[in-house]
Amino acid sequence: MASNLKVHQFSKCLAGTTVHFHVLQLKDSFFLWVGTDPDMNHLALAMCDADGQRPVSSTLLGDFSNTTSQNLAVKLSTRTKKQVLISWNLNDTCLSKLAEEALKHEMDENPENF
């Protein structure tokens, strides 16, 4: 029996800081963890509605005023049409922007991993 679970990991040196990306891919969803240290301070979920037009989202863990994980989950769910759980553990705005660009590039180059 083939596994429905796939793991993809990559790291990027961004602004002198190593940022780690871990993707746990399931059949119609994926979990993405991004950070520099082994922490899970935020967790958000997004999925497209029944019509597949508009994503719905929620912050499940962490500071509800920090919408970075939730906003990115919405972007990724819209892009992939999948349910997305994301834990974005970067607090620096510049580093976050660079990490988001690196993630976009990785998704463009290796879409089968998301």
Side-chain angles (χ1 to χ4, degrees):
M1 179 180 204
S3 173
N4 291 329
L5 184 65
K6 185 176 174 184
V7 176
H8 176 61
Q9 301 176 60
F10 61 101
S11 297
K12 298 288 182 184
C13 185
L14 305 169
T17 302
T18 301
V19 177
H20 305 284
F21 301 78
H22 299 276
V23 181
L24 182 60
Q25 182 187 31
L26 303 163
K27 183 181 175 197
D28 294 318
S29 63
F30 65 92
F31 169 76
L32 171 66
W33 179 92
V34 179
T36 57
D37 298 313
D39 294 323
M40 184 183 270
N41 298 319
H42 301 280
L43 182 63
L45 167 72
M47 65 185 87
C48 290
D49 64 6
D51 297 330
Q53 299 298 315
R54 188 179 46 188
V56 293
S57 64
S58 182
T59 295
L60 305 174
L61 175 70
D63 181 0
F64 289 90
S65 67
N66 182 343
T67 59
T68 305
S69 290
Q70 188 172 345
N71 291 339
L72 190 54
V74 167
K75 286 181 189 178
L76 296 179
S77 182
T78 301
R79 177 179 175 163
T80 63
K81 303 296 185 215
K82 293 182 178 182
Q83 178 177 312
V84 176
L85 282 156
I86 183 166
S87 180
W88 192 265
N89 299 287
L90 300 173
N91 294 321
D92 180 274
T93 304
C94 258
L95 189 58
S96 281
K97 288 183 185 204
L98 292 171
E100 191 172 339
E101 289 173 16
L103 176 62
K104 182 183 181 309
H105 178 71
E106 185 72 17
M107 290 180 80
D108 290 341
E109 295 294 315
N110 300 294
E112 70 280 0
N113 293 320
F114 297 88

